[in-house]
């Protein structure tokens, strides 16, 4: 009877040690999982930001939008007539293979205000969206006038 | 006796229990380690892809720029989906056509951009190669056309592209040889897995002959080209098919740019402030440019674009019209 009780105590002791060990292990895993999740989220955000910058850089170097005279390119400049004509093209150029889920607009902010859409492919269930804005010049070639504009790029993940 | 037997069974069960728990713990921690290893590898691949994507963005935004990324690379390029992948991590590549080996495997990746002008800049071709690729350019100093071709190619060849001028075996995995109006030769490349030989006799437009394989095939595969940049595109491609795929993307881009310029010319031709931009016969330069651009666009969207027709419109109609517009202080087309 006494021996049986001793054995029961030993089993209880083992089970308790295992229980505490698994609780500690579980807590450790939850903590690690949370940290990992945060690090993954930070990584995703960084990647989306990088993608937005990359898209902005690509848009600024598109010959169908860029300001040029005899193939000499003006940096951070869009030709107004090209912005208008690109929007008139039928069918619209599909930049999805290059820009993926993102949107890009050029806004004239002075003297007039108007907007030209370059690419729009919104994602419904996105984890992260980063929007960047870059000041640009919009040139009216025929009138020989420069206007202030903003290139806005929003990238989704 | 019974008690002793019971104790012996108990001891055995105790060890079985210890072994089971030990095995379970071992499996559990091994699974975590393997998962961690996989995650770290994926993270490293993603970081590398981001680095490459940033370099692509940087290089393609400026014409004639070269950049080398240090490290060991195994990149799979897919022209059809316009994407690149390292391991299981993949990304869309760029809005410009990329010409490279399908498997970029080696140390140090060099990315370069070459402007494809028709005569306006239609696109920046991205050329990618690792140091496992050897470039050879063969020309004949006694042949004036061959020498002229060499001078033109050298003027557009990305500055970081090292090349030999003899069929020297440097032990590279992939050898790319450009024959400039000289007979093609086999060469001896013992360690090469693949040898890409292309031959051209013109610079502006014409045919490219592909003689691929370790042994020289008797009949070449032929493709067409327009512009010096497309000769380099063929040199950096693995085969006629890969070159064709890249050029398909290039023509698609050309059709968009040409159409935007066509509409620009159309608008300017009707602009009352620009009516002085005419030649001596009274023909508006913008109308001339519009007609040429419409034909370039039409060729670019056709299933088999005709390089000579594109070149003829670009050089004989559009280029002179643009020069005259600049001389008359009128807004240029491109």
């Amino acid at each position: 009877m006494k021996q049986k009780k001793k054995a029961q105590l030993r089993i209880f002791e083992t089970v308790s040690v295992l229980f505490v060990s698994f609780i500690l292990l579980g807590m450790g895993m939850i903590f690690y999982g949370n940290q990992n999740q945060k690090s993954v989220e930070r990584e995703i955000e960084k990647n989306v930001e990088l993608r937005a910058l990359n898209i902005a850089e690509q848009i600024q170097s598109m010959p169908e939008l860029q300001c040029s005279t005899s193939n000499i390119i003006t940096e951070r400049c869009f030709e107004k007539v090209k912005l208008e004509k690109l929007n008139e093209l039928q069918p619209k150029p599909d930049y999805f293979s290059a820009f993926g889920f993102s949107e890009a607009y050029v806004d004239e902010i002075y003297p007039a205000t108007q907007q030209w859409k370059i690419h729009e492919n919104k994602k419904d269930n996105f984890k992260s969206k980063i929007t960047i804005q870059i000041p640009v010049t919009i040139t009216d070639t025929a009138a020989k006038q420069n206007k202030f504009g903003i290139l806005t790029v929003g990238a989704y993940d | 006796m019974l008690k002793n037997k019971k104790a012996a069974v108990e001891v055995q069960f105790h060890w079985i229990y210890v072994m089971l728990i030990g095995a379970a713990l071992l499996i559990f921690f091994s699974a975590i380690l393997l998962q961690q290893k996989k995650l770290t590898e994926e993270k490293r691949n993603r970081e590398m892809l981001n680095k490459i994507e940033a370099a692509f963005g940087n290089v393609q935004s400026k014409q004639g720029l070269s950049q080398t990324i240090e490290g060991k690379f195994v990149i799979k390029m897919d022209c059809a989906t316009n994407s690149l992948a390292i391991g299981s991590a993949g990304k869309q590549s760029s809005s410009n056509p990329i010409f490279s080996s399908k498997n970029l495997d080696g140390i140090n990746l060099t990315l370069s951009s070459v402007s494809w002008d028709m005569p306006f800049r239609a696109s920046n071709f991205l050329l990618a190669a690792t140091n496992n690729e050897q470039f050879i350019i063969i020309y004949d100093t006694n042949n004036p056309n061959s020498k002229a071709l060499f001078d033109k190619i050298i003027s557009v060849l990305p500055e970081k592209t090292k090349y030999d001028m003899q069929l020297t075996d440097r032990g590279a995995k992939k050898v790319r040889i450009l024959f400039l109006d000289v007979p093609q030769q086999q060469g001896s490349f013992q360690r090469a897995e693949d040898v890409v030989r292309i031959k051209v006799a013109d610079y502006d437009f014409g045919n490219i002959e592909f003689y691929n394989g370790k042994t020289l095939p008797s009949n070449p595969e032929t493709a067409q080209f327009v512009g010096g940049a497309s000769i380099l595109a063929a040199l950096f491609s693995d085969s006629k098919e890969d070159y064709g795929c890249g050029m398909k993307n290039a023509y698609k881009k050309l059709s968009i740019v040409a159409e935007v310029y066509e509409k620009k010319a159309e608008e300017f031709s009707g602009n009352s402030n620009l009516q002085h931009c005419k030649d001596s016969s009274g023909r508006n330069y913008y109308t001339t440019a519009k007609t040429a651009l419409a034909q370039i666009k039409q060729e670019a969207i056709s299933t088999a674009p005709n390089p000579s027709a594109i070149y003829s419109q670009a050089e004989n109609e559009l280029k002179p019209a643009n020069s005259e517009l600049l001389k008359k202080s009128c807004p240029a087309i491109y």
Side-chain angles (χ1 to χ4, degrees):
Chain A
M1 187 69 176
K2 203 178 166 188
Q3 222 173 20
K4 205 177 175 185
K5 213 171 180 183
K6 211 175 162 187
Q8 271 178 341
L9 260 170
R10 265 177 63 187
I11 289 169
F12 180 72
E13 192 186 74
T14 313
V15 168
S16 309
V17 167
L18 276 173
F19 183 72
V20 170
S21 306
F22 279 113
I23 286 198
L24 284 172
L25 200 69
M27 278 167 69
M29 278 177 71
I30 289 168
F31 177 75
Y32 175 76
N34 279 344
Q35 287 301 312
N36 223 19
Q37 177 88 9
K38 275 181 197 164
S39 135
V40 167
E41 275 166 15
R42 272 198 301 269
E43 191 72 23
I44 287 172
E45 213 158 281
K46 204 177 106 187
N47 286 349
V48 177
E49 194 174 356
L50 196 75
R51 205 161 66 83
L53 282 167
N54 195 8
I55 292 169
E57 203 158 5
Q58 286 194 56
I59 288 172
Q60 288 178 83
S61 67
M62 279 161 65
E64 58 266 49
L65 292 174
Q66 235 175 7
C67 301
S68 72
T69 306
S70 283
N71 284 342
I72 297 163
I73 290 143
T74 313
E75 298 282 327
R76 290 196 174 188
C77 174
F78 294 118
E79 226 177 292
K80 191 179 175 182
V81 66
K82 286 184 179 177
L83 285 164
E84 286 167 353
K85 300 304 168 192
L86 188 73
N87 271 273
E88 284 174 16
L89 296 193
Q90 285 304 335
K92 288 207 172 296
D94 182 13
Y95 295 115
F96 182 72
S97 64
F99 304 149
F101 286 107
S102 62
E103 53 196 34
Y105 307 93
V106 174
D107 289 275
E108 183 186 328
I109 51 166
Y110 183 82
T113 54
Q114 54 182 319
Q115 188 180 71
W116 297 276
K117 187 171 78 184
I118 296 164
H119 171 69
E120 190 178 61
N121 215 305
K122 290 179 179 170
K123 199 176 186 180
D124 295 330
N125 303 312
F126 59 88
K127 289 177 202 157
S128 171
K129 185 192 173 189
I130 300 278
T131 302
I132 57 162
Q133 292 192 311
I134 295 167
V136 291
T137 308
I138 298 168
T139 299
D140 187 339
T141 326
K144 292 181 182 166
Q145 279 179 343
N146 283 339
K147 294 150 188 231
F148 289 109
I150 299 265
L151 166 67
T152 306
V153 175
Y156 297 87
D157 196 85
Chain B
M1 185 72 175
L2 196 76
K3 212 174 169 183
N4 273 352
K5 211 173 178 182
K6 207 177 163 189
V9 170
E10 206 174 293
V11 167
Q12 272 177 358
F13 267 110
H14 175 80
W15 281 112
I16 289 168
Y17 170 74
V18 166
M19 274 171 72
L20 279 175
I21 295 290
L25 285 171
L26 198 72
I27 290 168
F28 178 73
F29 285 111
S30 301
I32 287 183
L33 268 176
L34 282 174
Q35 187 69 15
Q36 198 59 33
K37 196 185 161 211
K38 203 176 146 193
L39 281 174
T40 312
E41 214 162 88
E42 217 163 276
K43 197 179 163 193
R44 208 189 57 204
N45 288 346
R46 288 212 169 274
E47 277 173 2
M48 191 56 91
L49 268 180
N50 287 339
K51 217 170 155 183
I52 294 168
E53 192 184 26
F56 268 135
N58 185 33
V59 169
Q60 72 178 307
S61 61
K62 294 181 183 68
Q63 40 189 307
L65 198 74
S66 283
Q67 188 177 340
T68 301
I69 312 169
E70 288 176 4
K72 196 178 177 325
F73 298 91
V74 183
I75 310 167
K76 289 211 181 300
M77 309 291 291
D78 189 350
C79 168
T81 56
N82 198 27
S83 62
L84 56 107
I86 300 179
S88 59
K91 251 184 200 306
Q92 295 300 125
S93 44
S94 88
S95 57
N96 288 311
I98 302 173
F99 296 92
S100 72
S101 173
K102 269 189 280 194
N103 294 304
L104 279 167
D105 178 1
I107 301 160
N108 294 354
L109 176 71
T110 303
L111 303 172
S112 313
S113 68
V114 182
S115 178
W116 190 47
D117 300 338
M118 288 297 120
F120 52 89
R121 189 169 65 89
S123 177
N124 267 347
F125 285 178
L126 286 168
L127 311 174
T130 66
N131 65 349
N132 262 342
E133 289 168 61
Q134 182 191 353
F135 292 87
I136 302 171
I137 302 176
I138 306 288
Y139 76 103
D140 181 2
T141 43
N142 298 319
N143 174 346
N145 184 45
S146 179
K147 175 79 177 71
L149 272 172
F150 176 75
D151 293 338
K152 284 178 181 171
I153 287 289
I154 290 308
S155 68
V156 291
L157 190 75
E159 52 172 326
K160 287 193 176 173
T161 309
K162 289 179 191 149
Y163 63 91
D164 290 303
M165 285 159 70
Q166 280 173 337
L167 298 171
T168 317
D169 186 3
R170 294 198 183 275
K173 267 190 186 173
K174 192 158 274 178
V175 182
R176 300 180 180 281
I177 315 168
L178 172 60
F179 295 99
L180 299 167
D181 198 14
V182 288
Q184 63 281 4
Q185 300 155 55
Q186 181 169 297
S188 173
F189 302 97
Q190 300 298 325
R191 280 168 287 181
E193 287 169 9
D194 195 12
V195 182
V196 177
R197 300 177 197 85
I198 63 162
K199 185 181 164 186
V200 289
D202 301 286
Y203 182 79
D204 300 321
F205 66 91
N207 290 330
I208 299 177
E209 292 176 359
F210 288 83
Y211 298 87
N212 290 10
K214 282 194 90 170
T215 52
L216 189 73
S218 48
N219 292 319
E221 288 188 290
T222 312
Q224 290 186 309
F225 77 93
V226 56
S230 47
I231 298 175
L232 292 180
L235 183 64
F236 276 74
S237 302
D238 273 352
S239 62
K240 182 198 156 194
E241 286 70 33
D242 292 338
Y243 165 72
C245 177
M247 285 310 290
K248 202 175 151 191
N249 293 338
Y251 280 119
K252 198 173 155 192
K253 183 90 180 161
L254 171 64
S255 72
I256 296 170
V257 182
E259 195 173 354
V260 169
Y261 279 125
E262 182 198 346
K263 287 188 177 289
K264 178 182 171 182
E266 189 179 17
E267 176 147 327
F268 284 6
S269 67
N271 189 322
S272 54
N273 296 327
L274 302 173
Q275 289 310 308
H276 62 285
C277 305
K278 288 175 182 166
D279 63 13
S280 51
S281 65
R283 188 171 159 83
N284 193 312
Y285 287 119
Y286 294 114
T287 312
T288 310
K290 181 190 166 291
T291 313
L293 284 157
Q295 293 204 19
I296 291 172
K297 183 197 85 187
Q298 217 43 51
E299 281 298 332
I301 58 172
S302 74
T303 45
N306 180 355
S308 76
I310 293 175
Y311 183 78
S312 157
Q313 289 298 326
E315 280 299 308
N316 305 331
E317 302 292 333
L318 190 57
K319 205 171 177 179
N322 200 61
S323 301
E324 288 304 318
L325 285 168
L326 286 168
K327 276 184 205 162
K328 288 185 177 287
S329 298
C330 295
I333 292 292
Y334 62 89

